[in-house]
Amino acid sequence: MQEKMIIQNSNTSPPWWKKTTVYQIYPRSFLDTNGNGIGDLNGIIAKLDYLKDLGIETIWISPFFKSPTWKPYKEHDCGYDIINYRDVNPEYGSLETLDMLIKEIHDRDMKIVFDMVLNHTSIDHEWFKESRSSRDNPKRDWYIWRDGKKPGGKKPPNNWRAVISGSPWHYDKKTDQWYYAAFLNFQPDLNYRNPDVQQEMLDLVRFWLKKGVDGFRLDIINALFEDEALRDSPLTFKLFSEDMDVFFKSSRMNLNHPDTIEFCKKLRKTIDEFHDPSRFMVGEIMASIPTIKKYLGKNADGLNLSFLFKSLNLTMNAKKVSKLIQLYEKKFPEPFIPTWVFGNHDMFRRISKLKGRMAKSKLNAALQLTARGVPFIYYGEEIGMEQADVNLKESRDPLTYHFSWIPSFAHSIIHKFGQSIARDGCRTPMQWDDTENAGFSLPGVKTWLPITPSYKERNVAAQEKDPDSLFHCYKRFLSIRKKTPALHSGNLKIIPSKELPKNILGYIRSFTDQKQEQDIYVLLNFSNKTIRFMAPRTNFELLTSTAFNSNPFQQNGEMMLTPWEGIVLKSTR
Ligand code: GLC
């Protein structure tokens, strides 16, 4: 019945990317099909049916382009430093494999999103090699080069701060100048003030769009332009700010520059050249909501979406969650839409912040998949993959080496507080089954990062068999979301807290078009106690619950939610 509830009126039907659910794959860690301990594109192809069955609609893949992964791990960023944007790194496959991947995804009626690292290249990119070769090389101006501070030139050109702390300027002996890198020293920033650079990168975007790519995740997009005169960062009254002002130093000279925001509109025009189907971009912007809104454009003519990272550390508490939903509702009303993000390849895994608790994670999934917004699920979240405590000596993350001055005991303390400097712990291989190497790679192969110890219980094969697993909870919610216009396209109203018991958060998702009116009630129990209360109304149908054997309807119109249970109800009026 519900399958037929297709919205007929195209005026009310949002574009596909507003309704979709995105799953992020870190290709190095998904599935290794050639036994080298590293995941590959064929591995992703092999698991597309799994993702389809789970109910995923869009797949974002972290970079698999040519990058200097032959170097020691501390000298490259596993794909976020590219040497050829139009080719595949051989350890992941070839252009043919990539074409096949795009086709196989589309054949399953799913979408594919690439991760575009527009801000910087690898230090080993031919462009940079040329650029650094002499001051008058034609590619010199493709990067940002300056003399050091006078007198002597032995100090960085200005007082800017890199995103990861320290100076973003690096001295290059050969031409006795400094180059700028917003992130790590081997990731030199392209100079977007050079029209040739802009042209090249916009052409690149078109190149992939023509190949059928459905969207882009834009890596540190807020670092694209810097102050043209490279003026010093001014002081601010803020010790820290969401816009990355640090220790009273403003970041506005090298982050979130107005020209970056303008360029995002150019990017939008470029992707809008492709209509059938429409394409989208989601920006990685570590900034305050007012800044993020500038990227989206007053008239929604900028980036289609931005990650919102406030949810990363969201406390599982009805009041706090309600506050965040209300904030997003206020700041991102139609035609804007928030995003719901709980993890990615840089962040401490959410379930470990929830102390490994499956029940809480189910509720977290219920929130993510029923609140208004585009959900981004990070691989392994659906089976409760935990943050691994990878030995620092085995770290594969260049940031670990950047922060090598931090003693290892401090890393452990930070880890206990649900944070991490090294990003290895959230990048360990996907756990497919309980065999050696968790089915990620053949037994006996040394995997690029160790397998997280809890893989014996937390793996796909085990959870597929258990209808009460986290995996099946995700699957139920993804399926209901897809079938239910109010959940993927409706508006949201919070049920006033005084109408519900303490610790229960409720909201109504509503959708109306010429064919139908739909009111979907979501009730979430943010406590470890069973709660009974009078139902807000009596004529409900249970669509799904985080609990497999849910029985929320009690006698006399009473309702019952078990600890950390979340339910979705359809009002039948
Ligand atoms: C982004 C990526 C991160 C990468 C950095 C530099 O923050 O998410 O993994 O290291 O940009 O490209």
Side-chain angles (χ1 to χ4, degrees), residues 26 77 80-81 115 117 120 183-184 187 217 219-220 284 286 344-346 397 399 423 427:
Y26 195 69
D77 198 11
Y80 284 94
D81 45 344
D115 204 322
V117 188
H120 49 263
F183 211 74
L184 283 156
Q187 293 165 314
R217 177 256 185 194
D219 190 65
I220 57 166
E284 187 201 21
M286 296 278 187
N344 66 29
H345 62 291
D346 298 328
D397 179 6
L399 276 192
R423 298 170 295 180
R427 297 176 175 179

Short mmCIF file of all heavy atoms in Angstrom, two decimals, residues 26 77 80-81 115 117 120 183-184 187 217 219-220 284 286 344-346 397 399 423 427, ligand 1:
data_model
loop_
_atom_site.label_atom_id
_atom_site.label_comp_id
_atom_site.label_asym_id
_atom_site.label_seq_id
_atom_site.Cartn_x
_atom_site.Cartn_y
_atom_site.Cartn_z
N TYR A 26 35.10 4.45 3.62
CA TYR A 26 36.53 4.77 3.59
C TYR A 26 37.15 3.60 2.83
O TYR A 26 37.26 2.49 3.38
CB TYR A 26 37.04 4.89 5.03
CG TYR A 26 38.39 5.55 5.14
CD1 TYR A 26 38.54 6.90 4.88
CD2 TYR A 26 39.51 4.82 5.52
CE1 TYR A 26 39.78 7.51 4.98
CE2 TYR A 26 40.76 5.42 5.62
CZ TYR A 26 40.88 6.77 5.36
OH TYR A 26 42.10 7.38 5.46
N ASP A 77 48.36 11.38 3.24
CA ASP A 77 47.10 11.46 3.98
C ASP A 77 46.06 10.50 3.41
O ASP A 77 44.88 10.83 3.32
CB ASP A 77 46.60 12.92 3.96
CG ASP A 77 45.55 13.19 5.03
OD1 ASP A 77 45.36 12.34 5.92
OD2 ASP A 77 44.92 14.27 4.97
N TYR A 80 43.79 12.00 0.69
CA TYR A 80 43.42 13.42 0.77
C TYR A 80 44.57 14.32 0.31
O TYR A 80 44.63 15.49 0.66
CB TYR A 80 42.93 13.77 2.19
CG TYR A 80 41.52 13.25 2.43
CD1 TYR A 80 41.30 12.03 3.03
CD2 TYR A 80 40.42 13.97 1.97
CE1 TYR A 80 40.00 11.55 3.21
CE2 TYR A 80 39.12 13.51 2.15
CZ TYR A 80 38.93 12.29 2.77
OH TYR A 80 37.65 11.82 2.93
N ASP A 81 45.49 13.72 -0.44
CA ASP A 81 46.57 14.48 -1.07
C ASP A 81 46.77 13.82 -2.43
O ASP A 81 47.33 12.75 -2.54
CB ASP A 81 47.85 14.45 -0.21
CG ASP A 81 48.20 13.07 0.33
OD1 ASP A 81 47.33 12.18 0.32
OD2 ASP A 81 49.36 12.86 0.73
N ASP A 115 34.54 12.35 -3.27
CA ASP A 115 35.12 13.26 -2.29
C ASP A 115 36.11 14.14 -3.04
O ASP A 115 37.14 13.64 -3.52
CB ASP A 115 35.84 12.40 -1.23
CG ASP A 115 35.97 13.10 0.10
OD1 ASP A 115 36.20 14.31 0.09
OD2 ASP A 115 35.87 12.41 1.14
N VAL A 117 38.89 16.94 -3.28
CA VAL A 117 39.86 17.70 -2.49
C VAL A 117 40.32 18.87 -3.36
O VAL A 117 41.34 18.81 -4.03
CB VAL A 117 41.05 16.80 -2.07
CG1 VAL A 117 41.96 17.52 -1.09
CG2 VAL A 117 40.54 15.50 -1.45
N HIS A 120 43.66 21.63 -1.95
CA HIS A 120 45.11 21.42 -2.06
C HIS A 120 45.40 20.17 -2.88
O HIS A 120 44.53 19.33 -3.06
CB HIS A 120 45.72 21.25 -0.67
CG HIS A 120 44.98 20.25 0.19
ND1 HIS A 120 44.03 20.63 1.11
CD2 HIS A 120 45.03 18.91 0.24
CE1 HIS A 120 43.55 19.55 1.70
NE2 HIS A 120 44.13 18.48 1.18
N PHE A 183 46.45 22.71 5.64
CA PHE A 183 46.42 21.49 6.45
C PHE A 183 47.87 21.05 6.71
O PHE A 183 48.64 21.79 7.29
CB PHE A 183 45.55 20.42 5.77
CG PHE A 183 44.88 19.50 6.74
CD1 PHE A 183 43.80 19.91 7.50
CD2 PHE A 183 45.33 18.19 6.91
CE1 PHE A 183 43.19 19.06 8.43
CE2 PHE A 183 44.72 17.33 7.83
CZ PHE A 183 43.65 17.77 8.58
N LEU A 184 48.26 19.88 6.24
CA LEU A 184 49.63 19.42 6.51
C LEU A 184 50.63 19.95 5.48
O LEU A 184 50.24 20.32 4.37
CB LEU A 184 49.65 17.89 6.55
CG LEU A 184 49.07 17.27 7.83
CD1 LEU A 184 48.58 15.86 7.59
CD2 LEU A 184 50.11 17.28 8.96
N GLN A 187 50.51 19.08 1.80
CA GLN A 187 49.26 19.36 1.10
C GLN A 187 49.19 20.85 0.72
O GLN A 187 48.40 21.62 1.29
CB GLN A 187 48.08 18.97 1.99
CG GLN A 187 48.00 17.46 2.23
CD GLN A 187 47.10 17.06 3.37
OE1 GLN A 187 47.17 17.65 4.44
NE2 GLN A 187 46.26 16.06 3.16
N ARG A 217 31.35 15.52 -2.08
CA ARG A 217 31.62 15.98 -0.73
C ARG A 217 32.86 16.86 -0.89
O ARG A 217 33.84 16.45 -1.52
CB ARG A 217 31.88 14.77 0.17
CG ARG A 217 32.26 15.13 1.62
CD ARG A 217 33.72 14.95 1.86
NE ARG A 217 34.07 15.17 3.25
CZ ARG A 217 35.32 15.34 3.66
NH1 ARG A 217 36.32 15.30 2.79
NH2 ARG A 217 35.59 15.56 4.92
N ASP A 219 35.96 18.61 0.47
CA ASP A 219 36.93 18.57 1.56
C ASP A 219 37.40 19.99 1.93
O ASP A 219 37.65 20.80 1.04
CB ASP A 219 38.13 17.75 1.07
CG ASP A 219 39.12 17.42 2.15
OD1 ASP A 219 38.74 16.68 3.05
OD2 ASP A 219 40.27 17.89 2.07
N ILE A 220 37.57 20.25 3.22
CA ILE A 220 37.88 21.59 3.78
C ILE A 220 37.66 22.74 2.79
O ILE A 220 38.54 23.58 2.54
CB ILE A 220 39.26 21.70 4.47
CG1 ILE A 220 40.44 21.34 3.58
CG2 ILE A 220 39.35 20.89 5.71
CD1 ILE A 220 41.78 21.83 4.23
N GLU A 284 32.36 20.35 3.69
CA GLU A 284 32.95 20.16 5.02
C GLU A 284 33.37 21.54 5.51
O GLU A 284 34.39 22.09 5.07
CB GLU A 284 34.18 19.23 4.96
CG GLU A 284 34.70 18.90 6.35
CD GLU A 284 36.15 18.43 6.39
OE1 GLU A 284 36.91 18.72 5.45
OE2 GLU A 284 36.53 17.80 7.37
N MET A 286 33.92 23.54 8.97
CA MET A 286 33.97 23.58 10.44
C MET A 286 33.76 25.03 10.84
O MET A 286 34.72 25.81 10.87
CB MET A 286 35.36 23.14 10.92
CG MET A 286 35.70 21.73 10.58
SD MET A 286 34.96 20.67 11.80
CE MET A 286 35.64 19.11 11.35
N ASN A 344 32.60 10.24 11.11
CA ASN A 344 33.23 10.14 9.80
C ASN A 344 34.67 9.67 10.01
O ASN A 344 35.04 9.30 11.13
CB ASN A 344 33.12 11.44 9.00
CG ASN A 344 33.90 12.60 9.61
OD1 ASN A 344 34.91 12.40 10.29
ND2 ASN A 344 33.44 13.81 9.38
N HIS A 345 35.47 9.70 8.95
CA HIS A 345 36.81 9.14 9.03
C HIS A 345 37.79 9.99 9.84
O HIS A 345 38.96 9.64 9.93
CB HIS A 345 37.34 8.96 7.60
CG HIS A 345 37.44 10.28 6.90
ND1 HIS A 345 36.34 11.02 6.53
CD2 HIS A 345 38.51 11.02 6.54
CE1 HIS A 345 36.74 12.15 5.98
NE2 HIS A 345 38.05 12.18 5.97
N ASP A 346 37.32 11.11 10.38
CA ASP A 346 38.18 11.95 11.22
C ASP A 346 37.73 11.94 12.68
O ASP A 346 38.41 12.50 13.54
CB ASP A 346 38.11 13.42 10.76
CG ASP A 346 38.59 13.63 9.35
OD1 ASP A 346 39.49 12.89 8.91
OD2 ASP A 346 38.05 14.53 8.67
N ASP A 397 48.26 7.53 10.57
CA ASP A 397 47.70 8.85 10.36
C ASP A 397 48.79 9.92 10.49
O ASP A 397 49.41 10.03 11.55
CB ASP A 397 46.60 9.09 11.41
CG ASP A 397 45.96 10.46 11.26
OD1 ASP A 397 46.29 11.17 10.30
OD2 ASP A 397 45.13 10.81 12.13
N LEU A 399 48.60 12.90 11.11
CA LEU A 399 48.35 13.84 12.21
C LEU A 399 49.04 13.38 13.49
O LEU A 399 49.48 14.20 14.30
CB LEU A 399 46.85 13.97 12.49
CG LEU A 399 46.06 14.94 11.63
CD1 LEU A 399 44.68 15.16 12.22
CD2 LEU A 399 46.77 16.27 11.47
N ARG A 423 43.62 9.50 14.00
CA ARG A 423 42.32 9.14 13.44
C ARG A 423 42.21 7.65 13.08
O ARG A 423 41.23 7.23 12.50
CB ARG A 423 42.03 10.04 12.24
CG ARG A 423 41.96 11.52 12.64
CD ARG A 423 41.92 12.43 11.44
NE ARG A 423 43.17 12.36 10.67
CZ ARG A 423 43.40 13.06 9.56
NH1 ARG A 423 42.48 13.88 9.10
NH2 ARG A 423 44.54 12.95 8.90
N ARG A 427 39.04 4.20 11.71
CA ARG A 427 39.26 3.81 10.32
C ARG A 427 39.59 2.33 10.17
O ARG A 427 40.07 1.90 9.13
CB ARG A 427 40.43 4.63 9.72
CG ARG A 427 40.16 6.11 9.67
CD ARG A 427 41.38 6.87 9.17
NE ARG A 427 41.05 8.29 9.03
CZ ARG A 427 41.91 9.21 8.63
NH1 ARG A 427 43.15 8.87 8.34
NH2 ARG A 427 41.55 10.46 8.51
C1 GLC B 1 39.47 16.93 5.71
C2 GLC B 1 39.40 15.43 5.67
C3 GLC B 1 40.57 14.87 6.38
C4 GLC B 1 41.83 15.32 5.66
C5 GLC B 1 41.87 16.84 5.55
C6 GLC B 1 42.91 17.29 4.55
O1 GLC B 1 39.32 17.43 6.99
O2 GLC B 1 38.18 14.99 6.21
O3 GLC B 1 40.55 13.47 6.48
O4 GLC B 1 42.96 14.88 6.35
O5 GLC B 1 40.65 17.37 5.12
O6 GLC B 1 42.51 16.97 3.26
#
